Amino acid sequence: MIVFDLKCSAGHRFEAWFRDSDTFTAQAAAGEVACPVCGDQKVEKALMAPRLNVRSHARDEAAPVPTAAAEVAPAQPPAPADPAAERLMAVQGEVMKRLREIRREVEANCDFVGDRFAEEARSMHLGETPARPIYGQTTEAEAESLREDGVPFAAIPWLPREDG
C-alpha cells in the first residue's frame, strides 16, 4: 500500500491509500477519487516528501529510513480555521487511530502467513487445514480468485506502527 498527498482543483489537500501508483492513476482517471471536503473529482497528486521503509530481517517489521526531504520541503502553513475542515481532520484522526488499533489486535490474535495468505485461506476454506485467524498479503489477482471461490476475507489498510 502507498499513501499519496492529494489535492483537488479547489485546493483542498488530503491523503488517500492505494495499492500502487498505477491504481491511483486508474481510479483518478475513472473519477473514483474525490475530495472528502467538497466532492471534487479533479484530483491530482500534491507535492510530498517521500517516505521509505525497509524490512528489518531481525524483527520482520518496517524500519524508517532517514531522508533529507524535510530539510528540502518546508512545512505547509496551517490552513485557515474552517469548521468543516476541522471536523474532517477529527474524523480522519479517529479513523487512523482505529486502524492502528485494528493492526494491534490482528497482530496479537492472528498468525502471520506472509505472501502465503491466499494459499492458506483457500486451504482452510476447503477444510484441508484447521481454521485459524491469519493475516498476510496477497496480490490483486489472488484476492479476486479468493472472492470468486467464495473464500471469506477482508482487506484492511495496514498503517505503520506508532512506536513512540
Side-chain angles (χ1 to χ4, degrees), residues 13-130:
R13 294 178 65 96
F14 58 98
E15 290 182 346
W17 289 84
F18 299 92
R19 177 167 285 286
D20 52 34
S21 184
D22 292 339
T23 301
F24 163 76
T25 302
Q27 289 182 356
E32 296 172 352
V33 181
C35 173
V37 176
C38 67
D40 183 9
Q41 293 178 333
K42 292 181 183 177
V43 174
E44 62 185 26
K45 292 179 192 174
L47 184 61
M48 60 187 211
R51 177 177 177 172
L52 305 173
N53 286 327
V54 295
R55 288 240 166 231
S56 167
H57 296 291
R59 297 187 323 169
D60 192 33
E61 59 188 42
V65 176
T67 67
E71 298 170 12
V72 178
Q76 295 291 324
D82 173 9
E86 288 176 12
R87 282 192 305 275
L88 175 63
M89 295 288 284
V91 169
Q92 287 175 335
E94 188 60 34
V95 168
M96 297 296 275
K97 176 182 170 187
R98 184 63 187 128
L99 287 172
R100 285 192 177 90
E101 290 171 2
I102 290 170
R103 177 179 179 149
R104 283 191 294 276
E105 287 291 320
V106 167
E107 288 177 333
N109 298 300
C110 302
D111 294 332
F112 178 69
V113 296
D115 61 1
R116 297 184 339 270
F117 179 83
E119 174 186 334
E120 293 285 329
R122 183 172 281 108
S123 178
M124 288 186 295
H125 180 70
L126 296 174
E128 297 169 353
T129 58

